[in-house]
Amino acid sequence: MRIKFRQEKSFGLIGNPLGHSLSPFIHKELFKIAGISADYELYEADENELVLLYKNTLSALTGFNVTIPHKQNIIPLLDSLSGRARLFGSVNMVYNDEEKATGYNTDCIGFLRSLEGAGISLEGSVLILGCGGVSRTFAFESVIAGAEVTLAVRRTGFEKATKLKNEIKEKLNSDVKIAFLDEIDSGYDLIINATPVGMFPKTDASPLEKEAVLKSKAVFDAIYNPQETLLIKYAKEGGLKYLNGLPMLVWQAAAAEEIWNGVKFTKQEVERVIELTRKELEKG
C-alpha cells in the first residue's frame, strides 16, 4: 500500500523542439501510481533563452527533465552533478532541493533496464550511430560494460566523435573506434541508433544500410515515433533481437521520479506505464 502525499509539487521538461512530447503523459501516470499530487509542464526554449528561463522558472520547480539541445548547456547553471552526470558530461534531470540544484543522468538507467527487459546484452562489438546528445550515455555505458565500441558518424561529425573518443580515453582509459556511416559493411553484436534518422515524419530513412544490419545480432533504436522505424524493420526481417526507445523513455522517467519523490516503482508498474504510453502514441 502506497502512502498518498498531499503536497503539491511542480515538474517540467526543458528542450527545443518538444512537439507532442509524451513526457507529461508518462509522468502523470507515474504520479498516479506513486500517489503524488503534482503537475508537469513543457518549457520549449532555445539555447539563448535557457539562462533566463532557468532563473525565472525552472529553479523554482521541484525538479525538471532536460532534453536536446540543453543536456550539456544546463550544467554550468547547476550546483552539483551526480556521478554518472559528471562522468558523461550530460544531464537529463535536475532535482532542486532546499539547498542546491543537482543534475542527474537517468538516461543510463533507462537504457540499461530497457535492454535487460528485451533480453539484449551490452557486450561484444557495439556500433553506436551518432555522437551527440544521448549517444554519450550509450558510449560510456557500453565501455563500462566491457564492450568494444565503434562510433559511426557522418564526415561532418568526425571532430565531435574524436572529442568524445578522447574524453572516454581520459576518463575510462579505454579506446573506442570511429567509422563513417556510409562505410559500415560488417556486422556487430549490437547496433545502437542515437541519430534522428527514421524519426517521424521522415520515416522512410535508415541511418544504416540494410546489409550491415542483417549481418548483426541485435538493434536498439532510441527513436520511439514511429515505434517501428525502417532500421527496426530491417532487424525484424533478419530475425534479430530489436527494441525501440519507448521503454527507455519510461524507465528514465521512473528513475527521475524515484529521486524527486523518494518513491520506488516495481518492474510491473513501469511495464504497465510503458504499455499505456504505447497505446497513447498509437492514437497519433
Side-chain angles (χ1 to χ4, degrees):
M1 178 69 69
R2 291 185 180 274
I3 299 174
K4 292 198 172 185
F5 297 86
R6 296 184 180 276
Q7 181 181 1
E8 289 289 341
K9 298 183 177 184
S10 296
F11 302 93
L13 170 66
I14 171 69
N16 187 35
L18 294 180
H20 300 291
S21 172
L22 289 170
S23 291
F25 177 86
I26 293 169
H27 282 283
K28 286 172 184 177
E29 290 300 323
L30 292 168
F31 290 151
K32 289 179 188 176
I33 293 172
I36 300 293
S37 177
D39 55 59
Y40 191 99
E41 304 293 336
L42 297 178
Y43 299 95
E44 188 167 286
D46 62 29
E47 296 175 51
N48 295 326
E49 300 169 309
L50 178 61
V51 173
L52 188 60
L53 181 64
Y54 177 78
K55 291 180 178 178
N56 292 343
T57 304
L58 299 178
S59 61
L61 301 179
T62 307
F64 58 93
N65 292 113
V66 185
T67 189
I68 55 172
H70 302 308
K71 290 188 175 185
Q72 292 175 281
N73 300 333
I74 194 70
I75 292 176
L77 304 178
L78 306 177
D79 297 308
S80 64
L81 299 176
S82 70
R84 278 297 201 262
R86 185 181 304 107
L87 177 64
F88 301 159
S90 178
V91 166
N92 79 301
M93 187 275 278
V94 174
Y95 175 43
N96 294 320
D97 63 20
E98 294 180 357
E99 298 180 354
K100 62 182 180 179
T102 303
Y104 292 83
N105 189 301
T106 62
D107 279 334
C108 57
I109 299 172
F111 174 55
L112 296 175
R113 289 185 180 175
S114 59
L115 285 185
E116 180 183 355
I120 296 176
S121 300
L122 189 59
E123 60 185 11
S125 57
V126 174
L127 178 68
I128 300 174
L129 312 181
C131 64
V134 74
S135 63
R136 296 176 62 84
T137 295
F138 298 150
F140 273 98
E141 286 294 348
S142 297
V143 170
I144 290 170
E148 181 181 322
V149 175
T150 299
L151 301 173
V153 295
R154 293 192 176 102
R155 281 164 174 74
T156 54
F158 182 76
E159 184 177 347
K160 195 170 184 179
T162 300
K163 183 178 179 181
L164 178 55
K165 170 187 170 73
N166 293 340
E167 192 174 336
I168 290 173
K169 178 65 175 179
E170 178 185 347
K171 292 181 176 180
L172 298 179
N173 195 30
S174 294
D175 290 311
V176 301
K177 300 175 183 177
I178 299 176
F180 294 120
L181 280 166
D182 58 3
E183 295 180 351
I184 299 296
D185 59 3
S186 57
Y188 292 81
D189 290 306
L190 175 61
I191 296 170
I192 300 173
N193 181 32
T195 78
V197 178
M199 185 185 295
F200 180 84
K202 298 180 180 180
T203 60
D204 59 348
S206 170
L208 204 60
E209 293 296 327
K210 182 177 181 179
E211 291 71 21
V213 178
L214 296 181
K215 292 176 183 177
S216 301
K217 295 181 180 179
V219 169
F220 171 71
D221 195 335
I223 293 171
Y224 56 83
N225 186 15
Q227 296 189 58
E228 192 171 281
T229 60
L230 185 56
L231 182 65
I232 291 288
K233 288 177 181 177
Y234 290 160
K236 191 175 182 180
E237 181 180 325
L240 284 62
K241 289 184 178 181
Y242 61 88
L243 179 69
N244 69 23
L246 189 60
M248 175 179 165
L249 181 67
V250 177
W251 271 112
Q252 64 81 23
E257 288 207 18
E258 288 180 346
I259 295 170
W260 288 336
N261 297 313
V263 298
K264 190 70 178 177
F265 296 101
T266 66
K267 180 181 179 182
Q268 291 73 23
E269 287 171 335
V270 176
E271 288 177 344
R272 186 161 74 249
V273 176
I274 292 171
E275 185 57 31
L276 288 171
T277 308
R278 183 176 289 113
K279 291 178 180 178
E280 182 69 14
L281 184 58
E282 288 171 353
K283 292 178 182 179

mmCIF file of all heavy atoms in Angstrom, residues 39-84:
data_model
loop_
_atom_site.group_PDB
_atom_site.id
_atom_site.type_symbol
_atom_site.label_atom_id
_atom_site.label_comp_id
_atom_site.label_asym_id
_atom_site.label_seq_id
_atom_site.Cartn_x
_atom_site.Cartn_y
_atom_site.Cartn_z
ATOM 1 N N ASP A 39 2.066 18.640 -10.860
ATOM 2 C CA ASP A 39 1.822 18.982 -12.259
ATOM 3 C C ASP A 39 3.134 18.886 -13.028
ATOM 4 O O ASP A 39 4.222 18.899 -12.447
ATOM 5 C CB ASP A 39 1.216 20.375 -12.399
ATOM 6 C CG ASP A 39 2.054 21.456 -11.731
ATOM 7 O OD1 ASP A 39 3.227 21.598 -12.115
ATOM 8 O OD2 ASP A 39 1.543 22.145 -10.834
ATOM 9 N N TYR A 40 3.017 18.772 -14.347
ATOM 10 C CA TYR A 40 4.189 18.600 -15.210
ATOM 11 C C TYR A 40 3.951 19.392 -16.481
ATOM 12 O O TYR A 40 2.993 19.136 -17.210
ATOM 13 C CB TYR A 40 4.393 17.113 -15.529
ATOM 14 C CG TYR A 40 5.716 16.806 -16.202
ATOM 15 C CD1 TYR A 40 6.785 16.319 -15.457
ATOM 16 C CD2 TYR A 40 5.886 16.980 -17.563
ATOM 17 C CE1 TYR A 40 8.005 16.025 -16.061
ATOM 18 C CE2 TYR A 40 7.093 16.701 -18.183
ATOM 19 C CZ TYR A 40 8.146 16.218 -17.429
ATOM 20 O OH TYR A 40 9.349 15.929 -18.031
ATOM 21 N N GLU A 41 4.826 20.366 -16.755
ATOM 22 C CA GLU A 41 4.637 21.266 -17.883
ATOM 23 C C GLU A 41 5.817 21.190 -18.855
ATOM 24 O O GLU A 41 6.928 20.787 -18.488
ATOM 25 C CB GLU A 41 4.498 22.711 -17.394
ATOM 26 C CG GLU A 41 3.384 22.929 -16.387
ATOM 27 C CD GLU A 41 1.996 22.724 -16.976
ATOM 28 O OE1 GLU A 41 1.863 22.858 -18.233
ATOM 29 O OE2 GLU A 41 1.062 22.429 -16.213
ATOM 30 N N LEU A 42 5.565 21.609 -20.080
ATOM 31 C CA LEU A 42 6.609 21.689 -21.096
ATOM 32 C C LEU A 42 7.133 23.115 -21.205
ATOM 33 O O LEU A 42 6.347 24.071 -21.199
ATOM 34 C CB LEU A 42 6.063 21.253 -22.458
ATOM 35 C CG LEU A 42 5.572 19.804 -22.566
ATOM 36 C CD1 LEU A 42 5.026 19.549 -23.970
ATOM 37 C CD2 LEU A 42 6.686 18.816 -22.242
ATOM 38 N N TYR A 43 8.456 23.245 -21.305
ATOM 39 C CA TYR A 43 9.090 24.561 -21.448
ATOM 40 C C TYR A 43 10.009 24.511 -22.665
ATOM 41 O O TYR A 43 11.146 24.059 -22.588
ATOM 42 C CB TYR A 43 9.890 24.909 -20.194
ATOM 43 C CG TYR A 43 9.045 24.986 -18.947
ATOM 44 C CD1 TYR A 43 8.925 23.879 -18.100
ATOM 45 C CD2 TYR A 43 8.346 26.150 -18.622
ATOM 46 C CE1 TYR A 43 8.140 23.934 -16.955
ATOM 47 C CE2 TYR A 43 7.564 26.216 -17.471
ATOM 48 C CZ TYR A 43 7.460 25.103 -16.653
ATOM 49 O OH TYR A 43 6.676 25.152 -15.525
ATOM 50 N N GLU A 44 9.486 24.981 -23.785
ATOM 51 C CA GLU A 44 10.267 24.971 -25.020
ATOM 52 C C GLU A 44 11.083 26.251 -25.114
ATOM 53 O O GLU A 44 10.536 27.356 -25.078
ATOM 54 C CB GLU A 44 9.348 24.824 -26.229
ATOM 55 C CG GLU A 44 10.103 24.623 -27.534
ATOM 56 C CD GLU A 44 9.204 24.167 -28.665
ATOM 57 O OE1 GLU A 44 8.803 22.985 -28.651
ATOM 58 O OE2 GLU A 44 8.886 24.994 -29.537
ATOM 59 N N ALA A 45 12.391 26.106 -25.224
ATOM 60 C CA ALA A 45 13.274 27.279 -25.271
ATOM 61 C C ALA A 45 14.549 26.918 -25.999
ATOM 62 O O ALA A 45 15.050 25.794 -25.901
ATOM 63 C CB ALA A 45 13.596 27.752 -23.857
ATOM 64 N N ASP A 46 15.089 27.875 -26.735
ATOM 65 C CA ASP A 46 16.356 27.634 -27.419
ATOM 66 C C ASP A 46 17.508 27.968 -26.474
ATOM 67 O O ASP A 46 17.307 28.364 -25.323
ATOM 68 C CB ASP A 46 16.436 28.418 -28.728
ATOM 69 C CG ASP A 46 16.370 29.935 -28.521
ATOM 70 O OD1 ASP A 46 16.798 30.429 -27.455
ATOM 71 O OD2 ASP A 46 15.898 30.629 -29.436
ATOM 72 N N GLU A 47 18.718 27.811 -26.970
ATOM 73 C CA GLU A 47 19.900 27.989 -26.128
ATOM 74 C C GLU A 47 20.037 29.414 -25.586
ATOM 75 O O GLU A 47 20.542 29.619 -24.487
ATOM 76 C CB GLU A 47 21.138 27.590 -26.925
ATOM 77 C CG GLU A 47 21.142 26.111 -27.312
ATOM 78 C CD GLU A 47 22.312 25.737 -28.193
ATOM 79 O OE1 GLU A 47 23.459 26.068 -27.821
ATOM 80 O OE2 GLU A 47 22.100 25.116 -29.243
ATOM 81 N N ASN A 48 19.581 30.394 -26.334
ATOM 82 C CA ASN A 48 19.683 31.788 -25.889
ATOM 83 C C ASN A 48 18.699 32.123 -24.773
ATOM 84 O O ASN A 48 18.877 33.106 -24.053
ATOM 85 C CB ASN A 48 19.439 32.734 -27.062
ATOM 86 C CG ASN A 48 20.509 32.613 -28.134
ATOM 87 O OD1 ASN A 48 21.676 32.368 -27.821
ATOM 88 N ND2 ASN A 48 20.117 32.772 -29.391
ATOM 89 N N GLU A 49 17.664 31.311 -24.634
ATOM 90 C CA GLU A 49 16.637 31.566 -23.628
ATOM 91 C C GLU A 49 16.832 30.766 -22.344
ATOM 92 O O GLU A 49 16.123 30.986 -21.357
ATOM 93 C CB GLU A 49 15.252 31.228 -24.210
ATOM 94 C CG GLU A 49 14.882 32.047 -25.435
ATOM 95 C CD GLU A 49 13.650 31.514 -26.146
ATOM 96 O OE1 GLU A 49 13.622 30.299 -26.432
ATOM 97 O OE2 GLU A 49 12.725 32.303 -26.398
ATOM 98 N N LEU A 50 17.768 29.842 -22.349
ATOM 99 C CA LEU A 50 17.910 28.899 -21.240
ATOM 100 C C LEU A 50 18.204 29.571 -19.903
ATOM 101 O O LEU A 50 17.553 29.285 -18.896
ATOM 102 C CB LEU A 50 19.009 27.881 -21.561
ATOM 103 C CG LEU A 50 19.303 26.859 -20.455
ATOM 104 C CD1 LEU A 50 18.075 26.020 -20.141
ATOM 105 C CD2 LEU A 50 20.477 25.966 -20.854
ATOM 106 N N VAL A 51 19.188 30.451 -19.870
ATOM 107 C CA VAL A 51 19.601 31.053 -18.597
ATOM 108 C C VAL A 51 18.458 31.820 -17.948
ATOM 109 O O VAL A 51 18.174 31.653 -16.753
ATOM 110 C CB VAL A 51 20.812 31.984 -18.805
ATOM 111 C CG1 VAL A 51 21.129 32.738 -17.508
ATOM 112 C CG2 VAL A 51 22.031 31.188 -19.258
ATOM 113 N N LEU A 52 17.761 32.632 -18.706
ATOM 114 C CA LEU A 52 16.661 33.425 -18.163
ATOM 115 C C LEU A 52 15.522 32.526 -17.699
ATOM 116 O O LEU A 52 14.940 32.757 -16.631
ATOM 117 C CB LEU A 52 16.160 34.408 -19.221
ATOM 118 C CG LEU A 52 15.137 35.450 -18.737
ATOM 119 C CD1 LEU A 52 15.738 36.311 -17.629
ATOM 120 C CD2 LEU A 52 14.690 36.332 -19.907
ATOM 121 N N LEU A 53 15.205 31.500 -18.491
ATOM 122 C CA LEU A 53 14.135 30.575 -18.114
ATOM 123 C C LEU A 53 14.492 29.822 -16.838
ATOM 124 O O LEU A 53 13.646 29.618 -15.968
ATOM 125 C CB LEU A 53 13.869 29.579 -19.243
ATOM 126 C CG LEU A 53 12.752 28.560 -18.979
ATOM 127 C CD1 LEU A 53 11.406 29.256 -18.833
ATOM 128 C CD2 LEU A 53 12.695 27.526 -20.111
ATOM 129 N N TYR A 54 15.751 29.456 -16.719
ATOM 130 C CA TYR A 54 16.182 28.745 -15.514
ATOM 131 C C TYR A 54 16.029 29.630 -14.276
ATOM 132 O O TYR A 54 15.480 29.205 -13.254
ATOM 133 C CB TYR A 54 17.637 28.292 -15.644
ATOM 134 C CG TYR A 54 18.140 27.613 -14.388
ATOM 135 C CD1 TYR A 54 17.800 26.299 -14.091
ATOM 136 C CD2 TYR A 54 18.921 28.310 -13.470
ATOM 137 C CE1 TYR A 54 18.226 25.687 -12.923
ATOM 138 C CE2 TYR A 54 19.355 27.710 -12.295
ATOM 139 C CZ TYR A 54 19.005 26.397 -12.028
ATOM 140 O OH TYR A 54 19.419 25.811 -10.864
ATOM 141 N N LYS A 55 16.496 30.864 -14.372
ATOM 142 C CA LYS A 55 16.436 31.775 -13.218
ATOM 143 C C LYS A 55 15.000 32.117 -12.828
ATOM 144 O O LYS A 55 14.674 32.184 -11.641
ATOM 145 C CB LYS A 55 17.207 33.058 -13.527
ATOM 146 C CG LYS A 55 18.709 32.862 -13.617
ATOM 147 C CD LYS A 55 19.415 34.181 -13.928
ATOM 148 C CE LYS A 55 20.924 34.009 -13.963
ATOM 149 N NZ LYS A 55 21.628 35.288 -14.306
ATOM 150 N N ASN A 56 14.152 32.325 -13.817
ATOM 151 C CA ASN A 56 12.788 32.789 -13.545
ATOM 152 C C ASN A 56 11.777 31.680 -13.272
ATOM 153 O O ASN A 56 10.776 31.914 -12.598
ATOM 154 C CB ASN A 56 12.275 33.628 -14.720
ATOM 155 C CG ASN A 56 13.021 34.937 -14.859
ATOM 156 O OD1 ASN A 56 13.699 35.375 -13.929
ATOM 157 N ND2 ASN A 56 12.911 35.562 -16.019
ATOM 158 N N THR A 57 12.035 30.482 -13.811
ATOM 159 C CA THR A 57 11.017 29.427 -13.727
ATOM 160 C C THR A 57 11.561 28.080 -13.266
ATOM 161 O O THR A 57 11.090 27.526 -12.265
ATOM 162 C CB THR A 57 10.342 29.246 -15.110
ATOM 163 O OG1 THR A 57 9.810 30.499 -15.539
ATOM 164 C CG2 THR A 57 9.220 28.218 -15.029
ATOM 165 N N LEU A 58 12.530 27.551 -13.971
ATOM 166 C CA LEU A 58 12.983 26.183 -13.708
ATOM 167 C C LEU A 58 13.553 26.006 -12.302
ATOM 168 O O LEU A 58 13.355 24.966 -11.673
ATOM 169 C CB LEU A 58 14.033 25.770 -14.747
ATOM 170 C CG LEU A 58 13.582 25.765 -16.211
ATOM 171 C CD1 LEU A 58 14.736 25.386 -17.119
ATOM 172 C CD2 LEU A 58 12.414 24.812 -16.410
ATOM 173 N N SER A 59 14.253 27.012 -11.805
ATOM 174 C CA SER A 59 14.861 26.897 -10.473
ATOM 175 C C SER A 59 13.824 26.842 -9.360
ATOM 176 O O SER A 59 14.134 26.434 -8.233
ATOM 177 C CB SER A 59 15.818 28.071 -10.236
ATOM 178 O OG SER A 59 15.126 29.310 -10.293
ATOM 179 N N ALA A 60 12.587 27.243 -9.668
ATOM 180 C CA ALA A 60 11.519 27.219 -8.661
ATOM 181 C C ALA A 60 10.748 25.903 -8.662
ATOM 182 O O ALA A 60 9.943 25.649 -7.761
ATOM 183 C CB ALA A 60 10.549 28.377 -8.900
ATOM 184 N N LEU A 61 10.990 25.066 -9.652
ATOM 185 C CA LEU A 61 10.307 23.772 -9.720
ATOM 186 C C LEU A 61 10.941 22.785 -8.743
ATOM 187 O O LEU A 61 12.096 22.936 -8.341
ATOM 188 C CB LEU A 61 10.405 23.199 -11.139
ATOM 189 C CG LEU A 61 9.832 24.040 -12.284
ATOM 190 C CD1 LEU A 61 10.052 23.316 -13.614
ATOM 191 C CD2 LEU A 61 8.354 24.320 -12.063
ATOM 192 N N THR A 62 10.197 21.742 -8.384
ATOM 193 C CA THR A 62 10.770 20.679 -7.560
ATOM 194 C C THR A 62 11.864 19.967 -8.339
ATOM 195 O O THR A 62 12.887 19.563 -7.792
ATOM 196 C CB THR A 62 9.685 19.664 -7.159
ATOM 197 O OG1 THR A 62 8.593 20.362 -6.554
ATOM 198 C CG2 THR A 62 10.232 18.642 -6.178
ATOM 199 N N GLY A 63 11.642 19.804 -9.623
ATOM 200 C CA GLY A 63 12.619 19.172 -10.491
ATOM 201 C C GLY A 63 12.172 19.281 -11.932
ATOM 202 O O GLY A 63 11.019 19.606 -12.213
ATOM 203 N N PHE A 64 13.085 18.997 -12.848
ATOM 204 C CA PHE A 64 12.708 19.040 -14.260
ATOM 205 C C PHE A 64 13.615 18.137 -15.082
ATOM 206 O O PHE A 64 14.749 17.843 -14.695
ATOM 207 C CB PHE A 64 12.737 20.473 -14.812
ATOM 208 C CG PHE A 64 14.061 21.178 -14.696
ATOM 209 C CD1 PHE A 64 14.984 21.156 -15.736
ATOM 210 C CD2 PHE A 64 14.381 21.894 -13.540
ATOM 211 C CE1 PHE A 64 16.184 21.834 -15.639
ATOM 212 C CE2 PHE A 64 15.587 22.567 -13.434
ATOM 213 C CZ PHE A 64 16.496 22.536 -14.483
ATOM 214 N N ASN A 65 13.065 17.695 -16.206
ATOM 215 C CA ASN A 65 13.833 16.894 -17.153
ATOM 216 C C ASN A 65 14.483 17.813 -18.183
ATOM 217 O O ASN A 65 14.017 18.926 -18.417
ATOM 218 C CB ASN A 65 12.933 15.886 -17.875
ATOM 219 C CG ASN A 65 12.424 14.804 -16.941
ATOM 220 O OD1 ASN A 65 11.235 14.723 -16.667
ATOM 221 N ND2 ASN A 65 13.323 13.969 -16.456
ATOM 222 N N VAL A 66 15.540 17.325 -18.805
ATOM 223 C CA VAL A 66 16.291 18.103 -19.790
ATOM 224 C C VAL A 66 16.489 17.262 -21.041
ATOM 225 O O VAL A 66 16.930 16.111 -20.966
ATOM 226 C CB VAL A 66 17.672 18.511 -19.243
ATOM 227 C CG1 VAL A 66 18.392 19.422 -20.230
ATOM 228 C CG2 VAL A 66 17.552 19.180 -17.883
ATOM 229 N N THR A 67 16.147 17.814 -22.189
ATOM 230 C CA THR A 67 16.394 17.127 -23.450
ATOM 231 C C THR A 67 17.115 18.059 -24.412
ATOM 232 O O THR A 67 17.495 19.177 -24.039
ATOM 233 C CB THR A 67 15.078 16.579 -24.044
ATOM 234 O OG1 THR A 67 15.387 15.731 -25.156
ATOM 235 C CG2 THR A 67 14.143 17.693 -24.486
ATOM 236 N N ILE A 68 17.335 17.601 -25.650
ATOM 237 C CA ILE A 68 18.106 18.380 -26.612
ATOM 238 C C ILE A 68 17.485 19.761 -26.809
ATOM 239 O O ILE A 68 16.271 19.885 -26.781
ATOM 240 C CB ILE A 68 18.220 17.637 -27.964
ATOM 241 C CG1 ILE A 68 16.823 17.286 -28.503
ATOM 242 C CG2 ILE A 68 19.086 16.424 -27.849
ATOM 243 C CD1 ILE A 68 16.842 16.725 -29.893
ATOM 244 N N PRO A 69 18.310 20.790 -26.916
ATOM 245 C CA PRO A 69 19.782 20.801 -27.001
ATOM 246 C C PRO A 69 20.462 21.189 -25.687
ATOM 247 O O PRO A 69 21.573 21.722 -25.711
ATOM 248 C CB PRO A 69 20.022 21.880 -28.057
ATOM 249 C CG PRO A 69 18.958 22.906 -27.738
ATOM 250 C CD PRO A 69 17.748 22.121 -27.282
ATOM 251 N N HIS A 70 19.833 20.924 -24.556
ATOM 252 C CA HIS A 70 20.297 21.507 -23.291
ATOM 253 C C HIS A 70 20.997 20.550 -22.323
ATOM 254 O O HIS A 70 21.314 20.951 -21.199
ATOM 255 C CB HIS A 70 19.106 22.146 -22.567
ATOM 256 C CG HIS A 70 18.406 23.207 -23.355
ATOM 257 N ND1 HIS A 70 19.070 24.265 -23.934
ATOM 258 C CD2 HIS A 70 17.098 23.357 -23.689
ATOM 259 C CE1 HIS A 70 18.202 25.040 -24.570
ATOM 260 N NE2 HIS A 70 17.000 24.503 -24.445
ATOM 261 N N LYS A 71 21.224 19.303 -22.718
ATOM 262 C CA LYS A 71 21.781 18.330 -21.773
ATOM 263 C C LYS A 71 23.174 18.691 -21.270
ATOM 264 O O LYS A 71 23.565 18.279 -20.186
ATOM 265 C CB LYS A 71 21.781 16.932 -22.391
ATOM 266 C CG LYS A 71 20.383 16.344 -22.556
ATOM 267 C CD LYS A 71 20.427 14.893 -22.976
ATOM 268 C CE LYS A 71 19.013 14.319 -23.015
ATOM 269 N NZ LYS A 71 19.015 12.865 -23.298
ATOM 270 N N GLN A 72 23.884 19.443 -22.057
ATOM 271 C CA GLN A 72 25.196 19.936 -21.617
ATOM 272 C C GLN A 72 25.134 21.418 -21.249
ATOM 273 O O GLN A 72 25.836 21.873 -20.346
ATOM 274 C CB GLN A 72 26.242 19.686 -22.704
ATOM 275 C CG GLN A 72 26.535 18.200 -22.916
ATOM 276 C CD GLN A 72 27.476 17.939 -24.068
ATOM 277 O OE1 GLN A 72 27.083 17.959 -25.225
ATOM 278 N NE2 GLN A 72 28.739 17.697 -23.752
ATOM 279 N N ASN A 73 24.276 22.165 -21.923
ATOM 280 C CA ASN A 73 24.154 23.607 -21.649
ATOM 281 C C ASN A 73 23.682 23.904 -20.231
ATOM 282 O O ASN A 73 24.001 24.967 -19.675
ATOM 283 C CB ASN A 73 23.153 24.242 -22.625
ATOM 284 C CG ASN A 73 23.569 24.092 -24.073
ATOM 285 O OD1 ASN A 73 24.748 23.977 -24.369
ATOM 286 N ND2 ASN A 73 22.605 24.088 -24.976
ATOM 287 N N ILE A 74 22.919 22.980 -19.653
ATOM 288 C CA ILE A 74 22.356 23.223 -18.324
ATOM 289 C C ILE A 74 23.410 23.108 -17.226
ATOM 290 O O ILE A 74 23.264 23.690 -16.141
ATOM 291 C CB ILE A 74 21.195 22.237 -18.039
ATOM 292 C CG1 ILE A 74 20.368 22.669 -16.830
ATOM 293 C CG2 ILE A 74 21.720 20.824 -17.837
ATOM 294 C CD1 ILE A 74 19.531 23.895 -17.048
ATOM 295 N N ILE A 75 24.487 22.397 -17.485
ATOM 296 C CA ILE A 75 25.461 22.060 -16.439
ATOM 297 C C ILE A 75 26.046 23.285 -15.717
ATOM 298 O O ILE A 75 26.118 23.300 -14.477
ATOM 299 C CB ILE A 75 26.578 21.158 -17.018
ATOM 300 C CG1 ILE A 75 25.989 19.787 -17.366
ATOM 301 C CG2 ILE A 75 27.738 21.009 -16.030
ATOM 302 C CD1 ILE A 75 26.966 18.836 -18.043
ATOM 303 N N PRO A 76 26.469 24.342 -16.421
ATOM 304 C CA PRO A 76 27.050 25.492 -15.709
ATOM 305 C C PRO A 76 26.075 26.198 -14.758
ATOM 306 O O PRO A 76 26.514 26.938 -13.875
ATOM 307 C CB PRO A 76 27.464 26.438 -16.844
ATOM 308 C CG PRO A 76 27.608 25.566 -18.038
ATOM 309 C CD PRO A 76 26.559 24.510 -17.885
ATOM 310 N N LEU A 77 24.782 25.958 -14.927
ATOM 311 C CA LEU A 77 23.786 26.619 -14.084
ATOM 312 C C LEU A 77 23.519 25.862 -12.780
ATOM 313 O O LEU A 77 22.860 26.400 -11.887
ATOM 314 C CB LEU A 77 22.467 26.771 -14.855
ATOM 315 C CG LEU A 77 22.542 27.509 -16.201
ATOM 316 C CD1 LEU A 77 21.173 27.535 -16.861
ATOM 317 C CD2 LEU A 77 23.070 28.920 -15.998
ATOM 318 N N LEU A 78 24.038 24.649 -12.661
ATOM 319 C CA LEU A 78 23.728 23.795 -11.518
ATOM 320 C C LEU A 78 24.797 23.884 -10.432
ATOM 321 O O LEU A 78 25.926 24.278 -10.675
ATOM 322 C CB LEU A 78 23.574 22.341 -11.988
ATOM 323 C CG LEU A 78 22.568 22.128 -13.133
ATOM 324 C CD1 LEU A 78 22.556 20.660 -13.553
ATOM 325 C CD2 LEU A 78 21.170 22.582 -12.712
ATOM 326 N N ASP A 79 24.394 23.458 -9.228
ATOM 327 C CA ASP A 79 25.322 23.495 -8.092
ATOM 328 C C ASP A 79 26.201 22.259 -8.016
ATOM 329 O O ASP A 79 27.339 22.325 -7.552
ATOM 330 C CB ASP A 79 24.530 23.631 -6.779
ATOM 331 C CG ASP A 79 23.745 24.930 -6.723
ATOM 332 O OD1 ASP A 79 24.354 25.987 -6.938
ATOM 333 O OD2 ASP A 79 22.522 24.883 -6.480
ATOM 334 N N SER A 80 25.650 21.116 -8.444
ATOM 335 C CA SER A 80 26.416 19.870 -8.363
ATOM 336 C C SER A 80 25.883 18.864 -9.371
ATOM 337 O O SER A 80 24.793 19.033 -9.933
ATOM 338 C CB SER A 80 26.343 19.279 -6.950
ATOM 339 O OG SER A 80 25.005 18.913 -6.629
ATOM 340 N N LEU A 81 26.667 17.807 -9.595
ATOM 341 C CA LEU A 81 26.298 16.742 -10.506
ATOM 342 C C LEU A 81 26.436 15.391 -9.816
ATOM 343 O O LEU A 81 27.329 15.192 -8.983
ATOM 344 C CB LEU A 81 27.200 16.747 -11.744
ATOM 345 C CG LEU A 81 27.209 17.992 -12.632
ATOM 346 C CD1 LEU A 81 28.232 17.817 -13.745
ATOM 347 C CD2 LEU A 81 25.827 18.253 -13.213
ATOM 348 N N SER A 82 25.575 14.447 -10.181
ATOM 349 C CA SER A 82 25.716 13.078 -9.694
ATOM 350 C C SER A 82 26.905 12.441 -10.418
ATOM 351 O O SER A 82 27.436 12.991 -11.386
ATOM 352 C CB SER A 82 24.450 12.271 -9.985
ATOM 353 O OG SER A 82 24.331 12.028 -11.381
ATOM 354 N N GLY A 83 27.312 11.274 -9.952
ATOM 355 C CA GLY A 83 28.474 10.610 -10.537
ATOM 356 C C GLY A 83 28.367 10.366 -12.024
ATOM 357 O O GLY A 83 29.281 10.694 -12.792
ATOM 358 N N ARG A 84 27.247 9.783 -12.473
ATOM 359 C CA ARG A 84 27.071 9.466 -13.889
ATOM 360 C C ARG A 84 26.961 10.750 -14.727
ATOM 361 O O ARG A 84 27.504 10.821 -15.825
ATOM 362 C CB ARG A 84 25.827 8.606 -14.091
ATOM 363 C CG ARG A 84 26.026 7.097 -13.830
ATOM 364 C CD ARG A 84 27.011 6.504 -14.796
ATOM 365 N NE ARG A 84 26.917 5.072 -14.941
ATOM 366 C CZ ARG A 84 27.687 4.185 -14.326
ATOM 367 N NH1 ARG A 84 28.598 4.603 -13.466
ATOM 368 N NH2 ARG A 84 27.562 2.890 -14.566
#
